[in-house]
Amino acid sequence: MELFQNILEGMGLCLSMWGYFFVVFRFGKVKVWFVPAVSMTGIGLVLFWGALAGALKQTADLLLLGGLGGSVIFFILLCRKKIRFPGLSLCGVCFAAGTTVFIWLTLNLKLVHYDNFSHWALIVKYLLSADQLPGVDTELIPFRDYPPGSSLFVYYICRYAGHSQGVMLLAQNILILACFFSVFGVIREKRRFLLYSSLGMGCAVLSYLNLTIRINSLLVDFLLPLLAMASIALSYRCGEEKGRLCILQILLLGYTGIVKSTGMFFAGTAGVYALWKIVRPGKTPQEKALPGKTSPGKRVRKLLYAALLIIGMTLPLLAWRYHLKTDLAGFTGKFESGGKAGAAPVGEELYGSVIRDFVTAALDPAGRAVQIFLLCNVLALAAVLYARFKMKRRWNLGRILVAADTVVFLYYAGMLYMYLYTMPAEESLRMAGFERYACSVMVLAAGMLIMGAVTDMEGSFAVSIDERGAYRAYSSPAAKRRYQYAVLGTFLVAVNFLYSEVNGLRSIRQGYNDTLPGQAERIVGDHWYEGTGTDEKSYLIVASDREGQVSDGEVRYVCRYFLWAEDVEVTDGTDRGMLAEAEKNFDQVIVLDPEADAGSVFDEK
């Protein structure tokens, strides 16, 4: 009976999502490339406002019903033969095939990364249990000040599709795939498959920057730049529709700002381009066809759209800040200076050491971010020079390169500020998370260059495809042969990177039982409680401190997640006398690693 109910709820969720896609496409007149991302971020924003109002559960149910209403409209119009399905395209088939592979793989994945259990999966599990945001007294959630944007969307999907780790990952990965789908919206000429294969190759190469966490994680460092890239693609394609662009960007950028504390940097980067597309001087193609100058009313309207966009994209984050000051008053966040004992930032005497370590890490040629930064700059400069002197064309890629490098330098400056003034000293001294943060901004910078290169390519073909068909779209048989080789080469490179990603994920899944989360789940299970209830027993976890898993708190976070208990202590001691004494003070003693102490027991006192 429970299985049948889960199947019905899952089908209802799929129909609801389809209903939103249809309504946004048909009545919102949004280009199909941007429909999934706009719909999903819109759902996330509505959930956010509902959660702040204390009605998260009711908001989720209303959203489900609203989407089902959209599906009803779809089927009514379908029966009346007022809907015409678009024909299949090679690009669509390839994207659908890749999406199917990753969705199937995702459902069999497990969470491994440490930060899933310290916050990202932890907050999702809490939301699914309590149907509300954590309060100031919710000790089980240590980082209650983190914005909950992506967690709320994962909560929405898991509420109706199941609570397993695979479904959690599926929820976040469909949002990631929706952003990739939006990126392909920058292409206007649908009959040039080389544009799609080149863009696909570039997107596949971005997976190299995500090897630190891959997609078997709820961490948002890969999602943030992809949301910004989707926003940039939307601005490029819809720049002439000022009002629609404003509304859609409020959804995308407003959601991006509450995905993580650094989300506003990515939202601001994409927002600057959106604002420029709104207020830039000049006439739209429709206005150019009419005589006369642009009326003052239209200029005022542009300024109003710009002001509305600024307010709309910043309002969710401001609301979250207000929530922290009121509902979470008295809570000190991890990155707030003057925090609790042991979490204060480094002192002035260590500034020099932190700066040296930061510069060393930033310039380390072994770092993926450095490698991609150099590769992108070299290839972009080469492409601009080739286009200028060989093809006699001026590409916009040169200006985009300057903008991308500026974004990287500003982000690195912000990282240095964080290590010096806000991050706890212990983490600053070991440059905690540096590779992940650096790769995150490089995904955005590389994505900007990839999209810019493809749009420049689109306008640089010697022969345009006209109404006579694609068979006359080449200047010579040799040019056609070069085009075909280019398509084959870019397609094979893209497939190679994706195949490598799939094999890597399969390998990680096969080795899950040997990981710390795998061991913990196998021994203690995965406990869930209704409402805000938790396991009130006290636990002592005995584990070896290999790779610092005890000293850095990883064992404690992982076990707290699976036990869903607040009173969890960890030790790497192996003395039998000490463990015998501990069994008198704890309700349960759990031996996580056989090498820690083979003689200890896992019996309730």
Side-chain angles (χ1 to χ4, degrees):
M1 186 65 181
E2 183 178 353
L3 177 61
F4 181 69
Q5 181 181 353
N6 291 338
I7 293 175
L8 283 180
E9 289 181 344
M11 292 176 60
L13 177 65
C14 293
L15 286 174
S16 179
M17 293 297 292
W18 177 258
Y20 282 117
F21 291 173
F22 173 73
V23 169
V24 170
F25 173 73
R26 180 66 176 259
F27 301 103
K29 299 188 183 303
V30 177
K31 291 178 175 59
V32 66
W33 299 103
F34 309 109
V35 167
V38 168
S39 302
M40 292 177 189
T41 53
I43 289 172
L45 270 182
V46 173
L47 287 169
F48 172 75
W49 292 112
L52 290 184
L56 179 58
K57 180 180 179 180
Q58 296 84 346
T59 303
D61 291 338
L62 287 175
L63 279 170
L64 181 72
L65 292 175
L68 290 175
S71 287
V72 170
I73 296 174
F74 167 78
F75 286 114
I76 291 175
L77 295 177
L78 183 64
C79 292
R80 293 181 178 179
K81 298 181 179 180
K82 292 187 176 181
I83 295 177
R84 185 177 63 181
F85 291 97
L88 292 177
S89 65
L90 182 57
C91 175
V93 171
C94 291
F95 194 91
T99 299
T100 302
V101 170
F102 274 99
I103 287 178
W104 180 259
L105 181 64
T106 295
L107 289 172
N108 295 303
L109 290 175
K110 293 279 192 174
L111 299 169
V112 175
H113 196 282
Y114 160 52
D115 283 356
N116 288 304
F117 305 100
S118 65
H119 176 71
W120 300 109
L122 190 69
I123 183 63
V124 170
K125 190 172 183 177
Y126 179 85
L127 291 172
L128 289 168
S129 301
D131 289 308
Q132 65 182 32
L133 293 172
V136 67
D137 298 324
T138 311
E139 296 295 333
L140 194 59
I141 311 297
F143 305 122
R144 307 190 273 288
D145 57 323
Y146 281 19
S150 61
S151 302
L152 287 170
F153 183 77
V154 175
Y155 155 84
Y156 178 71
I157 300 298
C158 292
R159 177 173 170 78
Y160 305 106
H163 295 181
S164 70
Q165 295 180 26
V167 176
M168 292 181 186
L169 292 171
L170 173 66
Q172 178 139 312
N173 287 340
I174 61 173
L175 189 53
I176 288 175
L177 291 170
C179 293
F180 274 125
F181 191 64
S182 295
V183 169
F184 284 87
V186 300
I187 300 174
R188 300 177 187 272
E189 179 48 74
K190 301 177 182 179
R191 292 170 290 184
R192 297 280 191 185
F193 188 72
L194 176 61
L195 301 174
Y196 291 105
S197 63
S198 298
L199 189 54
M201 179 187 69
C203 291
V205 171
L206 293 180
S207 64
Y208 178 72
L209 290 167
N210 198 41
L211 288 179
T212 52
I213 55 176
R214 292 191 182 270
I215 62 169
N216 63 326
S217 171
L218 294 180
L219 277 70
V220 297
D221 301 274
F222 194 52
L223 174 62
L224 278 173
L226 293 180
L227 285 168
M229 287 168 57
S231 170
I232 292 171
L234 176 64
S235 296
Y236 177 78
R237 281 301 302 273
C238 304
E240 308 301 339
E241 306 170 81
K242 312 297 183 182
R244 184 173 289 109
L245 175 63
C246 176
I247 294 173
L248 298 180
Q249 290 290 12
I250 285 175
L251 297 178
L252 270 172
L253 299 180
Y255 181 78
T256 303
I258 57 169
V259 168
K260 193 180 181 181
S261 301
T262 56
M264 190 47 66
F265 176 86
F266 293 91
T269 300
V272 168
Y273 182 60
L275 288 171
W276 179 79
K277 295 290 285 187
I278 289 176
V279 303
R280 65 174 180 169
K283 298 182 179 181
T284 65
Q286 294 80 6
E287 292 171 340
K288 290 178 181 178
L290 299 174
K293 297 181 178 180
T294 304
S295 65
K298 291 183 178 180
R299 288 195 292 268
V300 172
R301 196 178 304 131
K302 289 180 180 180
L303 293 177
L304 289 176
Y305 286 145
L308 182 62
L309 175 57
I310 293 173
I311 294 172
M313 66 182 286
T314 57
L315 189 60
L317 183 60
L318 294 176
W320 179 250
R321 295 294 183 189
Y322 180 77
H323 170 74
L324 295 181
K325 291 182 179 180
T326 53
D327 297 339
L328 292 181
F331 175 76
T332 302
K334 173 182 177 180
F335 293 101
E336 294 183 26
S337 57
K340 58 186 178 181
V346 296
E348 294 184 6
E349 67 279 2
L350 295 175
Y351 283 175
S353 175
V354 171
I355 293 174
R356 283 193 301 272
D357 291 343
F358 181 86
V359 173
T360 300
L363 300 179
D364 183 7
R368 294 185 183 90
V370 177
Q371 295 170 3
I372 294 296
F373 179 81
L374 294 176
L375 179 65
C376 286
N377 275 266
V378 170
L379 292 180
L381 285 174
V384 170
L385 293 176
Y386 180 83
R388 180 69 181 90
F389 295 106
K390 181 68 175 179
M391 302 171 59
K392 308 300 180 183
R393 295 179 181 271
R394 294 183 181 273
W395 277 16
N396 291 322
L397 187 60
R399 291 194 289 269
I400 298 174
L401 177 61
V402 173
D405 286 350
T406 301
V407 168
V408 172
F409 292 141
L410 289 176
Y411 190 84
Y412 270 63
M415 286 172 57
L416 180 58
Y417 178 88
M418 177 184 68
Y419 283 118
L420 289 174
Y421 300 109
T422 63
M423 183 174 281
E426 184 272 331
E427 296 186 17
S428 294
L429 292 174
R430 59 184 174 89
M431 290 285 118
F434 179 89
E435 182 75 3
R436 182 153 44 92
Y437 301 146
C439 286
S440 183
V441 73
M442 274 310 305
V443 169
L444 175 57
M448 292 168 60
L449 293 173
I450 292 166
M451 289 189 290
V454 169
T455 55
D456 281 334
M457 285 172 55
E458 188 176 28
S460 299
F461 288 100
V463 178
S464 300
I465 299 179
D466 55 24
E467 65 277 0
R468 291 172 294 180
Y471 72 96
R472 298 179 62 89
Y474 307 97
S475 59
S476 67
K480 181 177 181 179
R481 192 161 48 250
R482 290 194 297 270
Y483 178 92
Q484 292 171 334
Y485 287 151
V487 168
L488 180 62
T490 53
F491 184 79
L492 289 178
V493 171
V495 171
N496 180 68
F497 270 94
L498 294 177
Y499 182 73
S500 175
E501 179 74 8
V502 169
N503 278 340
L505 292 171
R506 289 177 58 190
S507 176
I508 292 173
R509 177 65 185 93
Q510 291 170 358
Y512 175 73
N513 291 334
D514 297 326
T515 64
L516 173 60
Q519 291 176 333
E521 185 177 14
R522 184 176 66 254
I523 293 174
V524 307
D526 188 2
H527 298 263
W528 291 75
Y529 294 86
E530 293 291 336
T532 58
T534 60
D535 189 339
E536 297 182 355
K537 296 177 184 177
S538 59
Y539 292 90
L540 176 67
I541 310 298
V542 182
S544 63
D545 195 24
R546 63 173 186 270
E547 299 180 359
Q549 63 179 9
V550 171
S551 56
D552 66 8
E554 183 176 2
V555 172
R556 183 169 184 266
Y557 280 125
V558 169
C559 291
R560 274 162 57 100
Y561 174 86
F562 286 115
L563 290 167
W564 205 243
E566 297 180 4
D567 191 358
V568 176
E569 299 298 332
V570 182
T571 180
D572 60 349
T574 59
D575 180 77
R576 286 179 176 272
M578 184 197 71
L579 291 177
E581 182 66 25
E583 289 174 357
K584 301 177 182 179
N585 301 321
F586 293 89
D587 293 321
Q588 280 190 344
V589 177
I590 300 174
V591 179
L592 202 60
D593 297 326
E595 62 267 28
D597 188 281
S600 294
V601 294
F602 175 46
D603 295 322
E604 186 173 344
K605 191 176 70 173

